[in-house]
Amino acid sequence: MNTISKLTELFSKFPGIGPRQAKRFVYFLLTRNSSFLEELARLLLELKKEVSTCESCMRFFSNSLHNTKICEICRDPNRNGEMLMIVERDADFENIEKSKIYEGKYFILGGKVPILEKNPENRIRVSQLKERIKDTNIKEVILALSVNPDGENTEKYVRDLLPSSCKITILGRGLSTGIELEYPDSDTLKNAFKNRT
Ligand SMILES: [Zn+2]
């Protein structure tokens, strides 16, 4: 297999990218000058070195300046440690952070539990979540999951893992059905958060 085919195959593994788009990426790269390609290659190699997974919330964070295992949000004393918002993916976390509606802490599940999944542990971070919710400061857990059958199934599964001592809320409707939390705009998120039940 030649380099064009190999790269096309790699790009088609990206989320949402089909073979045709993957090939367009390859031809786009071929039109760039070598400094662009060198920069890209350098950043790709650095990505894993510079980005760590936070041991508390499990999100990816840039660890270039501080040699720490805990991200800046989990370390921030001004954030409300009594609230824990559980989201599926880093992109959902980013969108909620961008909307500035929430000042508590997070936990990134790493995915969702499809209906009929026999081993949810293979899909989401069950053991890490159990560890995180041992934190007795947590008074409220907000389940901010996709509004679709798999999201609802995940919600049910996660609820059973949570201690009965904390209040469990879900984001208010108003988020359209089928949507992933990566997409709604700030106003929609703000309403969903305000109307959580
Ligand atoms: Zn963190």
Side-chain angles (χ1 to χ4, degrees):
M1 211 196 293
N2 65 27
T3 309
I4 291 182
S5 314
K6 275 191 219 163
L7 259 181
T8 305
E9 202 178 292
L10 277 182
F11 283 132
S12 7
K13 293 185 173 158
F14 284 40
I17 301 300
R20 200 179 294 185
Q21 280 164 305
K23 190 150 263 173
R24 276 168 62 195
F25 286 0
V26 177
Y27 285 113
F28 166 77
L29 289 174
L30 285 169
T31 65
R32 301 287 103 181
N33 59 26
S34 45
S35 66
F36 180 95
L37 297 181
E38 277 158 21
E39 175 79 346
L40 180 66
R42 188 181 64 76
L43 289 172
L44 286 177
L45 291 173
E46 272 174 21
L47 192 59
K48 274 280 185 184
K49 274 190 245 163
E50 214 185 275
V51 177
S52 311
T53 306
C54 172
E55 285 188 353
S56 178
C57 68
M58 307 308 296
R59 77 181 183 91
F60 293 117
F61 72 107
S62 172
N63 200 5
S64 54
L65 300 174
H66 317 274
N67 194 17
T68 165
K69 292 175 172 162
I70 306 289
C71 77
E72 67 284 2
I73 290 186
C74 292
R75 273 186 285 131
D76 186 347
N78 295 319
R79 297 205 63 128
N80 185 351
E82 295 185 351
M83 291 172 103
L84 185 73
M85 185 181 279
I86 299 182
V87 298
E88 286 162 15
R89 296 165 307 141
D90 286 75
D92 304 337
F93 151 82
E94 298 235 358
N95 196 26
I96 291 166
E97 242 342 72
K98 199 177 76 189
S99 73
K100 297 192 169 46
I101 53 164
Y102 175 68
E103 292 183 328
K105 308 258 167 122
Y106 292 90
F107 184 84
I108 319 285
L109 275 182
K112 50 188 162 218
V113 184
I115 295 170
L116 301 178
E117 171 62 60
K118 294 212 168 54
N119 300 304
E121 300 82 11
N122 296 341
R123 299 289 193 142
I124 61 169
R125 298 171 171 132
V126 175
S127 58
Q128 294 93 331
L129 176 63
K130 284 182 179 165
E131 195 55 40
R132 179 67 182 87
I133 53 182
K134 281 183 186 163
D135 177 352
T136 51
N137 286 323
I138 301 170
K139 301 269 189 299
E140 179 181 351
V141 174
I142 303 147
L143 298 170
L145 307 170
S146 318
V147 189
N148 56 34
D150 286 349
E152 279 152 28
N153 191 50
T154 311
E155 185 191 308
K156 236 184 280 168
Y157 180 79
V158 171
R159 252 176 209 277
D160 290 340
L161 301 174
L162 301 174
S164 52
S165 57
C166 61
K167 182 179 167 191
I168 302 166
T169 55
I170 55 169
L171 293 188
R173 297 304 158 208
L175 294 170
S176 347
T177 308
I179 210 152
E180 313 224 317
L181 280 236
E182 174 184 354
Y183 303 112
D185 60 50
S186 297
D187 285 340
T188 309
L189 281 176
K190 193 189 274 175
N191 281 328
F193 182 68
K194 214 169 63 188
N195 297 321
R196 67 191 189 279
T197 47

